[in-house]
Amino acid sequence: MVLITSAYISEIINKLTEKKAYDKISGHSDLKSYIGTKYDLIGLAVPMQRSIFKTGYTFNILSLEDQLSVWNAIWESADVYEVLSQCIYFIEKNWLRFDTNKLWAILRTWVKKIDNWAHSDGLSDIYAHLMEKMPEEIYSQYQVWNKSENPWERRQSLVGMLLYSKKRKTLLPAIKLLDMVEPLITDKDYFVQKGLGWALREIGNVYPYETMAFLSKYCTILHPVAFATAVEKINPEFKNTLKLQRKHKRSLTTSSVKLV
């Protein structure tokens, strides 16, 4: 299986590399730093990567179950950013065609290889879909990840609950969603804080009153990154009230420091 997987990875890399000369990425001179990944990078824009995926690979002739096994093996073995993205595209396209329990058993391990926000968000979207099918089991896993030493697991416990609320047909109660947010308010990791703000913003779209109460309680200790994202879409008057509370807290802190 190792040799077969290696051959499939080579096939994917060859197809991706062939298109590099035709794909001009603008806006980021150092794409690897922008994404923040340790994996090798070919340097293809997302539209081109998705276009290549649509052309297919030789193993597409296999049954869907066997293709899942192949893509899982590729995920476990690959060290090229765009190859890992192709794995995510396969799941995005086909997740409804698999047994939810079986798919979750495989995909819950994928978070271990995450080292960047792009793959993290791609996986969060899939996790959020699966959570609608088996909310209690996945929520239990999120409770474990919420306390993990791995920051990408902690981020998944937040963003993977709902990602974009407008895409969700069902959601857990506000208290369960906010109970996942509260323990990570003082987390030191930038991407966890970004995910925390994202989660609060999306929870607020569905549960505005509960989220406003939460923000009123914790606004003075929220990390600036989380706060900025969390209040993007809330009522301007309420946003201003929160900002004044934070400003007042900072002024008190500054005064205390001066007195010392």
Side-chain angles (χ1 to χ4, degrees), residues 87-101:
C87 299
I88 291 174
Y89 300 158
F90 172 78
I91 303 298
E92 285 178 350
K93 179 183 177 182
N94 296 292
W95 75 272
L96 277 170
R97 303 169 69 184
F98 293 109
D99 175 78
T100 304
N101 285 279

Side-chain angles (χ1 to χ4, degrees), residues 26 39 55-56 95 115 131 138 142 144 149-150 155 174 194 222 235 255:
S26 61
Y39 296 117
T55 65
W95 75 272
D115 80 337
M131 193 171 187
I138 294 181
Y142 286 171
V144 175
E149 293 183 2
N150 182 342
R155 180 180 166 94
K194 191 71 174 178
L222 279 177
N235 177 281
S255 298

